[in-house]
Amino acid sequence: MNKLKILNDPIYGFITIPNSLIFDLIQHKYFQRLRRITQMGMSYLVYPGAHHTRFHHAIGCVHLMQKAVNVLRFKGVAISDDEETGLYVAILLHDIGHGPFSHAMEHSIADGVSHEHISLLFMERLNKEFNGSLTLAIQIFKGQYPRKFMCELISGQLDMDRADYLKRDSFYTGVAEGNINSERLITMLHVVDDGLVVEEKGIYSVEKFIIARRLMYWQVYLHKTGLAAEQLLIRVLQRAKELHDKGHKLQASKPLLYFLENKISLKEFNDDTLDVFAELDDFDIISAMKHWQHDSDFVLSNLSDMIINRNLLTIKLRKKAIQDQALEKHILTLMHKYNISRSEAQYFVFSGSISNQAYQEKTKTINILHKSGKIEDIVKASDQLNLKALSKTVTKYYICYPKEKL
């Protein structure tokens, strides 16, 4: 059977599957589940085109990794066939642990369990199935492989994950500000002292990349309407769990009921739990909310209705933390109007904060390789004065409350 298939991607054109292991992993039901996980959570309520999936994104990352391997080999960096496959597998599976609606549901389905944890559990399970052929990929994914630049290609400031999602999300949302030149960035990569660097002539592409990241975060990923929708989604699940604990019968799919009935933390995340999680996707949540919008519980029915019919909360952004009296005013209004308790009103009135740091100067740097051989951080190497400012964390505060009528 021919496993070297070609896929047609709207961003890069034709993408080739590099080897039979990658083909078999793509065919596996754990990976196919990613077709049913939206890449951008609730952003489609703001940008109608943002319906692309984690499946799209993971395949795009493998394509970019193939380009990176070819570029580095061409420049004399030794990468063995096993390392090459390890890089492809690690980037293909880096997001396999995402739950429904990607980041929106993280920590909601399972208690304090990140998608990276679950990705690792999936990879370890697949490693058993594939007779240990994912061992090297797991080392790279965990950042434990001795060749540091390989770990940076998976998770770093200029990794293949970011190189794909900025370009892809920009394309599907129609937000042109995020459209980076990932091909040129990859062509400018090199390795010095086992670390990833960018050649000097790629400096403007790096500047564009950092600025594009900042703009995409404020304009898309942290868009206030998308943020309000995500918060509602988290509260829907919170309320469903609360009701279930009180003995209130709820209609939901088997996998979703399992997570409503059981308090699952990383300790309880065994093989059986992983199998149930592997059946959970966006459709379970949407389907449940379609039932729950008609539930007898005031909170659950209204929260579900708000998402299903896009009748979202009002959200206001502020530069300073929200004062308690601002929340109190809306809570009291809601309690009197609908004769509900304070704890019920707090599902609809709440505050929080969002932060954006386009460039993490202290943790993972982007190093520029000058023609002289000198290596310098992009902030020092660039004549773009804002890059220093972009490495500072900017925090905004928000308040959410209902419109006139629920």
Side-chain angles (χ1 to χ4, degrees):
M1 183 182 164
N2 176 21
K3 294 185 176 183
L4 302 178
K5 298 282 184 195
I6 292 174
L7 304 173
N8 197 348
D9 182 75
I11 314 288
Y12 310 117
F14 292 116
I15 291 178
T16 51
I17 293 176
N19 58 46
S20 60
L21 175 60
I22 297 296
F23 177 87
D24 290 337
L25 287 168
I26 290 170
Q27 288 291 78
H28 197 281
K29 64 179 182 179
Y30 290 166
F31 190 80
Q32 288 292 321
R33 180 186 75 99
L34 296 183
R35 291 182 185 271
R36 305 186 301 277
I37 305 284
T38 319
Q39 168 78 6
M40 292 180 64
M42 305 304 288
S43 293
Y44 69 91
L45 291 175
V46 182
Y47 298 100
H51 276 288
H52 56 302
T53 64
R54 290 270 153 196
F55 183 91
H56 274 130
H57 164 60
I59 301 282
C61 289
V62 172
H63 172 71
L64 293 182
M65 189 63 86
Q66 284 176 268
K67 290 206 167 300
V69 167
N70 290 338
V71 163
L72 294 176
R73 275 181 174 161
F74 179 75
K75 292 177 183 178
V77 179
I79 298 172
S80 71
D81 290 348
D82 285 348
E83 287 172 330
E84 179 185 5
T85 300
L87 284 168
Y88 296 158
V89 172
I91 201 69
L92 179 75
L93 303 180
H94 78 284
D95 272 346
I96 199 170
H98 267 293
F101 292 104
S102 293
H103 292 283
M105 304 299 294
E106 202 160 342
H107 304 293
S108 300
I109 297 280
D111 198 27
V113 185
S114 71
H115 72 271
E116 287 94 351
H117 280 131
I118 303 171
S119 292
L120 194 54
L121 293 173
F122 272 127
M123 287 167 88
E124 282 163 352
R125 170 75 79 84
L126 287 165
N127 199 24
K128 285 178 195 160
E129 270 186 51
F130 285 83
N131 303 318
S133 51
L134 278 70
T135 307
L136 182 62
I138 291 170
Q139 267 188 293
I140 296 171
F141 177 78
K142 288 162 86 172
Q144 293 173 349
Y145 194 63
R147 301 191 74 187
K148 192 177 78 172
F149 78 90
M150 293 193 177
C151 304
E152 289 175 331
L153 285 168
I154 305 294
S155 177
Q157 285 273 15
L158 260 184
D159 57 36
M160 298 305 105
D161 175 31
R162 288 180 182 182
D164 181 80
Y165 78 62
L166 284 173
K167 198 169 177 64
R168 190 169 298 278
D169 297 349
S170 156
F171 176 86
Y172 280 98
T173 54
V175 176
E177 286 82 355
N179 187 12
I180 58 161
N181 191 344
S182 47
E183 306 262 333
R184 177 161 172 82
L185 275 170
I186 290 167
T187 306
M188 294 296 121
L189 290 178
H190 207 336
V191 173
V192 175
D193 296 335
D194 214 38
L196 211 54
V197 295
V198 180
E199 290 170 355
E200 188 179 356
K201 56 192 172 196
I203 197 163
Y204 303 119
S205 301
V206 175
E207 287 174 2
K208 169 89 168 27
F209 169 82
I210 294 171
I211 291 164
R213 199 162 173 264
R214 174 182 179 268
L215 295 173
M216 283 296 281
Y217 267 87
W218 285 133
Q219 219 169 317
V220 179
Y221 308 129
L222 298 175
H223 189 286
K224 64 176 189 168
T225 308
L227 180 67
E230 283 198 0
Q231 288 299 322
L232 283 173
L233 192 57
I234 290 163
R235 281 162 172 74
V236 164
L237 236 84
Q238 198 182 326
R239 184 61 174 177
K241 280 185 177 179
E242 194 182 312
L243 291 171
H244 194 281
D245 292 347
K246 288 176 181 168
H248 186 99
K249 280 274 175 277
L250 288 173
Q251 265 190 294
S253 67
K254 256 176 134 174
L256 183 53
L257 277 175
Y258 175 87
F259 284 96
L260 291 178
E261 286 163 5
N262 301 290
K263 195 169 164 55
I264 306 287
S265 64
L266 193 58
K267 199 163 78 250
E268 289 88 25
F269 224 104
N270 55 27
D271 278 1
D272 293 339
T273 306
L274 194 66
D275 279 333
V276 180
F277 185 86
E279 289 182 32
L280 199 61
D281 55 51
D282 293 8
F283 296 99
D284 295 86
I285 308 296
I286 292 280
S287 173
M289 287 192 297
K290 283 173 78 175
H291 286 301
W292 296 346
Q293 64 182 331
H294 306 297
D295 195 88
S296 58
D297 180 67
F298 177 88
V299 175
L300 187 66
S301 62
N302 277 290
L303 289 175
S304 301
D305 175 77
M306 284 175 164
I307 296 174
I308 294 291
N309 299 310
R310 202 194 179 278
N311 178 26
L312 305 172
L313 298 170
T314 295
I315 179 167
K316 297 274 172 70
L317 289 179
R318 300 278 182 265
K319 285 182 181 172
K320 291 183 178 167
I322 307 298
Q323 300 298 311
D324 288 346
Q325 56 263 38
L327 287 166
E328 189 64 18
K329 182 183 78 176
H330 292 294
I331 287 170
L332 291 173
T333 303
L334 213 56
M335 285 168 69
H336 294 142
K337 191 171 181 179
Y338 294 101
N339 192 25
I340 55 175
S341 69
R342 173 175 289 275
S343 64
E344 287 172 322
Q346 283 170 330
Y347 273 100
F348 302 96
V349 181
F350 49 87
S351 62
S353 64
I354 47 174
S355 297
N356 184 5
Q357 186 185 14
Y359 179 59
Q360 289 102 335
E361 194 182 3
K362 294 193 169 55
T363 48
K364 299 171 179 174
T365 54
I366 297 177
N367 288 320
I368 301 298
L369 173 65
H370 291 281
K371 287 190 179 76
S372 63
K374 180 186 173 190
I375 292 174
E376 201 173 23
D377 184 292
I378 179 70
V379 172
K380 293 192 178 75
S382 169
D383 54 11
Q384 166 67 277
L385 296 172
N386 331 356
L387 286 193
K388 186 74 184 163
L390 292 183
S391 60
K392 289 188 172 66
T393 303
V394 178
T395 302
K396 293 182 183 179
Y397 301 88
Y398 64 85
I399 179 170
C400 289
Y401 53 88
K403 293 169 180 151
E404 285 306 302
K405 190 173 179 297
L406 279 180

